[in-house]
Amino acid sequence: MATITRFLETFEPSHYDVYIDVNRGTKEISGKSTITGVAHTKPVYIHQKNMEIESVQANGNDVPFTADNKTESIKIEVPEMGETTLAITYKAPLTDSMMGIYPSYYEVNGEKKELIGTQFETTFARQAFPCVDEPAAKAKFDLAIKFDEKPGETILANMPEVREENGVHYFDTTVRMSTYLIAFAFGDLQSKKTKTKSGVEVGVFSTKAHEPKELDFALDIAKRSIEFYEDFYQTPYPLPHSWQLALPDFSAGAMENWGLVTYREAYLLLDPDNTALDTKQLVATVISHELAHQWFGDLVTMQWWDDLWLNESFANMMEYVAIDAIEPDWNVWELFQTSDVPAALQRDATDGVQSVHVNVENPAEIDALFDSAIVYAKGARMLVMMRALVGDDALRKGLKNYFAAHQYGNAKGADLWNAVGDAAGMDVASIMNTWLEQPGYPLVTAKVVDGKLTLSQQQFFIGEGKDAGRSWKIPLNSNYDAAPKIFKDKEIVLGDYEQLRKKNGKPFRVNVGNNSHFIVKYDKTLLMDILDNLDTVDSISQMGILQDLRLLAEARQMSYAAVVPLLKRFANNHSTVVNAAIYRIAYNLRKFVTPNTDEEKALKALYGQLSTEQYERLDWMPKDGESIDDQLTRPTILNAALYAENPSAQAKAHKLFEENKNDLASLSADIRIFVLRNEVKNYGSQELITDLLEQYRQSTDPSYKSDLSVAITSTKDSKMISLLIEKFEDADTIKPQDLRAWFRGVLDNSAGEQAAWDWIRNDWDWLEKTVGGDMEFTTYITVVTSVFRTPERLAEFKAFFDPKINTPGLTREITMDKSIIETRVNLIQDEKAEINAAIKKVTE
């Protein structure tokens, strides 16, 4: 066994007959997995996890077998190699882990109900039925599902149901596909359906706890996304239907099961009459992300998990391409610039970060690959860079050829680069591999040396970093023709600066559009030229300048004290992306001030200076005909004005609360979170918190529930904080899928930090048992890291997590996060006085 890397090397399946009987009452699964394929070795190995294997037959005869939970295997002594049919009868528990086959819990009119769903990515199909549970082990599947059925219940699967006999539901044979994409669900469901231009049936399904109108938005986006992808990929959607299903309990955001995509309710359902635009954008991009996968990931699947980026990075880019095409007024690429880009740049600047392509074997380590800032955000940025380089015509041609060559099969990263490179007539692989295989990214320094405009590159680190001499092939995207299209040297001289400046008539810039994955450090001459001509610089580039200044300050290549006076230059810009960048810097300044001190008072005054004019312009309520930018900027400005303790903002928020206190859910979703949080922080009582907590329990509106959790966790009342900590493990109040947000809210509240930190240390075993099989488990450590900023907390972090550093899946996170906290502690200790003096100076 020790010499076997992949089970596919021992047995290559071609077809499964899977019979599963689910009993919700006894929480048991029983079934039979009949697998036809080729035995390449004697013995063969099949995956199982936590199963009781009752019998195994090979070609109709009983054969010896050994089940081993440690290796998640069944070792089967087949009599001969070659074409073989294995029949495995088994039993398994129905667990509450949100992995494998599991129940979701919800209430309708006070009645508790269950909806059964599945989650098989990464390695959890083996909890549902014995299989070769590897991406390359593609086969066709015939599913037959029996369950303790009640009248009116609906059952869904990847393919349409073909018949029902004696309580068993039989589904059409699937196309050739990977095990982790198999899915089914059953329960008391409602739905809305439509058809695409090409005849694909599209449906949205949810429990009846929701109003039917909450399905409309998703149905429209799903239909138009599929139509867009069929055109963009020039490849038909390969299945008869595309079901979108909202599960009340779901560990990830969504999952691209082929033909039956599953979602958290918050990422599929919304009230069309009262949902903020940014929430609509989020839901739309999640849907289009999963539907991008129906081709990129499902039709063509990565060969092994090390090429996970091939699925996720591409879907992450395509979600924006699709929504930008079907809702162009939303300017959704700006969302990419304010969410994915800063996440990728921050994470990727820490030494020890994984590269986009990572070698992995251990199943426990596979889940750790799902680093959203790297495999999703950085990977998407890498592909955006590639798209800008080759153009859409070559990209579409390359993708069409890629799908044609690998459909119903598997591929590696090189296959994609070759297909796109051939279409573009360019060696795409040699450029992109410098980004794919290396962690980190370059800092491009632009300076005038002896009158010559000079560029150089070296790896950028926040904190200690070991310079390994890496270099990248950088698409520079400069506004001067003298700069090369691809910068691959360590240093280049572009020519006489004064002559170049005169010839071009504008400040020198690189990374125009902020599409390439690097940051820029301009010397004083070049930076001041840009700042003095800001009115000629587009919004994305202004955002890029602020983004780079923030990162340079984090890396101590300049001081925040030098950045603070520059913020006013940008403050009255009406662009969403510029305001997002301003207040990301302003938020970072909070770590340098101690709560309830003169330092904090000065910082609040700075927030007031930056936000007052914008607040007076935008006010609380949307205006007829206002721009998308104004709609998306208002929340940022309201948040800043309330932190600044703007008396008008606080009073209006309180007034809005009083006017709507009998129906808080009806408050405009664009501003509701700020009204609720202001009330809790400034006018709150234990009675109010208790009431809001009960509303959280009763509401089925994911957007309102999210607003309530943010507001409630901002309380300064120690008694209420203790109550919230008690609710962390009460699944009837806070579902495990939502716990991280509540934990973060309390931890990031100075009045609740100690209580939340004590809870996670004392109840780590409970947390691991409850969400430990989940690919998001490590993000609890990330949350702690994002808050801690003192030497004492660093010492406590090390004391608690160092003994866990060898736990599979946690090693990289713990190692990196110690470095991140240490870097922050040192920065604060060394620069706190200087930065607070700068804040005080600009506010006097």
Side-chain angles (χ1 to χ4, degrees):
M1 179 65 203
T3 60
I4 294 169
T5 307
R6 313 272 161 83
F7 287 13
L8 182 58
E9 295 172 8
T10 76
F11 188 82
E12 186 176 349
S14 58
H15 183 270
Y16 288 78
D17 271 304
V18 178
Y19 168 78
I20 299 174
D21 186 347
V22 181
N23 189 315
R24 288 171 287 191
T26 61
K27 286 203 160 189
E28 285 183 327
I29 303 163
S30 58
K32 186 176 184 180
S33 184
T34 304
I35 320 171
T36 301
V38 177
H40 290 299
T41 61
K42 292 172 57 179
V44 299
Y45 291 86
I46 302 294
H47 286 106
Q48 65 81 30
K49 187 171 183 178
N50 300 327
M51 289 182 172
E52 179 188 333
I53 306 300
E54 295 181 331
S55 68
V56 178
Q57 292 187 328
N59 295 331
N61 298 311
D62 290 337
V63 290
F65 66 91
T66 308
D68 182 359
N69 279 330
K70 188 174 180 184
T71 56
E72 300 181 357
S73 68
I74 314 168
K75 178 183 176 184
I76 301 171
E77 303 292 347
V78 293
E80 57 191 7
M81 293 188 287
E83 190 74 21
T84 304
T85 297
L86 302 173
I88 305 167
T89 308
Y90 65 96
K91 286 183 179 174
L94 185 66
T95 69
D96 284 317
S97 67
M98 295 188 282
M99 297 291 154
I101 305 170
Y102 71 92
S104 283
Y105 302 101
Y106 66 102
E107 288 185 16
V108 177
N109 300 324
E111 181 187 353
K112 292 191 174 184
K113 295 197 162 197
E114 285 183 31
L115 170 64
I116 299 297
T118 60
Q119 171 63 15
F120 292 165
E121 189 181 37
T122 46
T123 56
F124 300 101
R126 65 191 67 174
Q127 283 185 197
F129 59 95
C131 54
V132 181
D133 197 14
E134 296 166 0
K138 285 193 166 183
K140 293 184 176 183
F141 295 80
D142 279 292
L143 282 185
I145 311 292
K146 186 180 181 185
F147 61 103
D148 47 347
E149 194 166 351
K150 296 168 187 169
E153 289 191 309
T154 300
I155 183 165
L156 307 171
N158 306 86
M159 298 294 285
E161 185 174 347
V162 290
R163 69 184 191 280
E164 188 248 319
E165 291 175 5
N166 302 319
V168 181
H169 298 265
Y170 295 87
F171 295 89
D172 209 351
T173 308
T174 71
V175 294
R176 193 167 179 269
M177 63 188 290
S178 301
T179 49
Y180 78 91
L181 296 167
I182 294 291
F184 60 86
F186 54 82
D188 187 15
L189 296 170
Q190 62 177 331
S191 67
K192 290 193 176 182
K193 296 176 184 173
T194 187
K195 279 193 174 180
T196 66
K197 293 173 192 170
S198 62
V200 177
E201 195 168 12
V202 180
V204 177
F205 295 78
S206 80
T207 71
K208 292 173 183 173
H210 296 273
E211 293 184 51
K213 68 178 181 179
E214 293 177 42
L215 282 61
D216 293 341
F217 179 82
L219 187 65
D220 173 58
I221 293 292
K223 172 184 179 290
R224 290 193 288 150
S225 293
I226 291 171
E227 289 172 345
F228 170 79
Y229 288 132
E230 286 196 315
D231 176 59
F232 191 89
Y233 293 149
Q234 301 171 67
T235 304
Y237 177 81
L239 302 181
H241 70 224
S242 176
W243 301 151
Q244 327 300 315
L245 170 64
L247 290 172
D249 291 290
F250 197 66
S251 63
M255 176 59 208
E256 67 267 20
N257 315 302
W258 215 355
L260 176 56
V261 184
T262 46
Y263 300 80
R264 279 193 190 207
E265 292 178 328
Y267 294 147
L268 188 69
L269 309 174
L270 59 81
D271 179 355
D273 302 322
N274 189 22
T275 296
L277 177 57
D278 59 353
T279 302
K280 288 182 179 178
Q281 289 180 327
L282 175 63
V283 171
T285 51
V286 170
I287 293 167
S288 61
H289 177 107
E290 302 309 325
L291 293 175
H293 273 310
Q294 305 302 293
W295 289 263
F296 227 101
D298 297 2
L299 180 64
V300 180
T301 310
M302 74 243 150
Q303 184 77 21
W304 181 247
W305 296 105
D306 60 338
D307 271 323
L308 174 68
W309 72 272
L310 197 56
N311 286 11
E312 297 301 347
S313 304
F314 205 90
N316 221 59
M317 177 181 78
M318 288 307 300
E319 70 187 66
Y320 293 99
V321 175
I323 298 304
D324 188 48
I326 65 180
E327 291 289 351
D329 292 345
W330 285 1
N331 300 326
V332 76
W333 279 110
E334 294 190 350
L335 176 63
F336 181 75
Q337 293 285 0
T338 57
S339 57
D340 297 62
V341 170
L345 289 169
Q346 191 75 33
R347 178 83 166 167
D348 204 24
T350 305
D351 206 6
V353 71
Q354 69 183 48
S355 53
V356 177
H357 175 256
V358 187
N359 291 321
V360 63
E361 293 295 344
N362 184 338
E365 298 284 358
I366 292 171
D367 283 344
L369 287 182
F370 286 77
D371 186 327
S372 60
I374 301 301
V375 169
Y376 291 72
K378 177 186 176 179
R381 200 165 192 227
M382 183 180 81
L383 291 170
V384 165
M385 195 163 61
M386 182 265 287
R387 181 190 180 205
L389 204 57
V390 303
D392 266 7
D393 288 346
L395 178 62
R396 293 175 69 186
K397 183 181 175 185
L399 290 179
K400 183 181 181 182
N401 295 339
Y402 173 79
F403 291 133
H406 301 286
Q407 61 183 344
Y408 307 110
N410 299 81
K412 295 184 176 182
D415 298 317
L416 174 65
W417 300 146
N418 291 340
V420 175
D422 287 347
M426 185 187 300
D427 186 1
V428 171
S430 74
I431 297 168
M432 298 313 298
N433 281 338
T434 66
W435 301 94
L436 181 70
E437 303 293 345
Q438 298 184 126
Y441 59 89
L443 169 68
V444 172
T445 301
K447 57 187 176 183
V448 180
V449 182
D450 298 329
K452 304 289 186 185
L453 182 54
T454 307
L455 300 182
S456 60
Q457 65 160 298
Q458 67 183 99
Q459 186 168 356
F460 177 72
F461 294 105
I462 295 175
E464 292 293 319
K466 184 179 179 183
D467 194 329
R470 297 185 177 105
S471 63
W472 287 262
K473 294 183 178 179
I474 308 170
L476 268 183
N477 300 328
S478 176
N479 65 340
Y480 280 22
D481 291 339
K485 189 173 182 181
I486 302 293
F487 175 31
K488 58 191 178 192
D489 304 305
K490 281 289 187 182
E491 183 172 295
I492 52 171
V493 177
L494 301 185
D496 184 83
Y497 171 64
E498 286 192 11
Q499 289 179 11
L500 288 168
R501 179 65 176 86
K502 189 174 180 181
K503 177 187 173 186
N504 286 278
K506 56 195 172 188
F508 173 75
R509 291 188 290 122
V510 292
N511 207 7
V512 174
N514 200 40
N515 283 333
S516 291
H517 191 57
F518 68 94
I519 67 168
V520 192
K521 183 179 183 181
Y522 297 101
D523 71 5
K524 191 171 183 180
T525 300
L526 298 171
L527 179 61
M528 292 316 294
D529 192 17
I530 294 169
L531 293 175
D532 289 342
N533 291 277
L534 265 187
D535 57 340
T536 68
V537 178
D538 64 277
S539 295
I540 292 288
S541 296
Q542 288 192 40
M543 181 219 69
I545 292 160
L546 288 166
Q547 154 202 285
D548 293 359
L549 291 174
R550 172 178 59 81
L551 289 161
L552 289 166
E554 288 287 310
R556 304 177 72 170
Q557 296 213 25
M558 66 184 300
S559 173
Y560 271 114
V563 179
V564 167
L566 302 178
L567 295 178
K568 286 185 189 178
R569 290 177 181 248
F570 298 84
N572 293 318
N573 191 302
H574 293 184
S575 162
T576 307
V577 291
V578 175
N579 280 287
I582 292 167
Y583 290 102
R584 192 177 286 271
I585 291 173
Y587 182 82
N588 275 11
L589 296 175
R590 294 195 199 185
K591 63 178 170 248
F592 297 101
V593 305
T594 306
N596 307 312
T597 62
D598 287 344
E599 296 169 353
E600 187 180 49
K601 196 173 176 183
L603 181 58
K604 288 183 175 185
L606 174 61
Y607 269 71
Q609 280 188 354
L610 295 173
S611 64
T612 297
E613 193 172 317
Q614 295 267 43
Y615 169 71
E616 289 171 356
R617 181 178 75 85
L618 294 168
D619 207 349
W620 278 87
M621 302 310 293
K623 301 170 181 65
D624 288 341
E626 72 180 7
S627 68
I628 295 282
D629 262 328
D630 283 352
Q631 288 181 55
L632 293 172
T633 299
R634 179 176 287 105
T636 301
I637 298 302
L638 290 177
N639 195 33
L642 290 171
Y643 180 74
E645 297 179 352
N646 180 313
S648 168
Q650 290 182 330
K652 283 193 177 181
H654 183 50
K655 185 169 181 279
L656 284 164
F657 181 88
E658 288 295 321
E659 289 171 352
N660 294 275
K661 63 184 177 185
N662 294 325
D663 187 10
L664 293 170
S666 68
L667 270 163
S668 172
D670 297 273
I671 62 167
R672 186 172 55 204
I673 189 171
F674 306 109
V675 172
L676 294 174
R677 192 174 61 190
N678 180 69
E679 198 66 21
V680 169
K681 288 178 83 167
N682 298 317
Y683 306 93
S685 63
Q686 293 183 2
E687 183 184 7
L688 174 65
I689 300 291
T690 305
D691 177 53
L692 294 180
L693 206 51
E694 185 55 30
Q695 289 194 48
Y696 179 87
R697 276 180 55 97
Q698 298 299 326
S699 176
T700 59
D701 179 347
S703 173
Y704 183 42
K705 288 173 78 81
S706 175
D707 291 349
L708 285 168
S709 75
V710 170
I712 292 167
T713 55
S714 69
T715 179
K716 300 298 180 185
D717 187 319
S718 59
K719 190 174 180 182
M720 288 295 98
I721 286 167
S722 297
L723 172 68
L724 295 184
I725 298 288
E726 286 175 22
K727 297 296 182 186
F728 280 6
E729 296 174 33
D730 171 14
D732 289 335
T733 302
I734 300 173
K735 287 176 172 285
Q737 68 172 14
D738 301 318
L739 176 56
R740 186 184 56 180
W742 283 83
F743 169 66
R744 185 194 174 90
V746 178
L747 187 77
D748 202 21
N749 174 351
S750 59
E753 181 182 323
Q754 187 64 51
W757 177 225
D758 288 343
W759 170 78
I760 200 169
R761 287 183 294 178
N762 293 333
D763 288 30
W764 181 262
D765 290 345
W766 175 87
L767 185 67
E768 193 167 28
K769 182 182 172 187
T770 306
V771 296
D774 178 349
M775 61 184 68
E776 296 198 354
F777 177 51
T778 57
T779 58
Y780 278 87
I781 308 173
T782 318
V783 165
V784 174
T785 304
S786 70
V787 173
F788 281 4
R789 60 183 189 177
T790 66
E792 295 76 19
R793 287 289 191 236
L794 173 61
E796 291 168 359
F797 183 94
K798 288 178 176 177
F800 183 67
F801 283 113
D802 274 350
K804 298 171 174 52
I805 203 161
N806 293 322
T807 306
L810 300 187
T811 306
R812 188 193 301 274
E813 192 61 51
I814 293 171
T815 304
M816 282 181 62
D817 287 356
K818 284 194 296 182
S819 170
I820 290 168
I821 300 171
E822 194 158 3
T823 298
R824 186 181 302 129
V825 166
N826 292 339
L827 175 65
I828 292 168
Q829 285 186 324
D830 292 350
E831 298 194 15
K832 179 182 169 83
E834 182 189 4
I835 291 164
N836 280 306
I839 294 169
K840 186 177 180 185
K841 184 177 179 181
V842 299
T843 56
E844 284 176 342

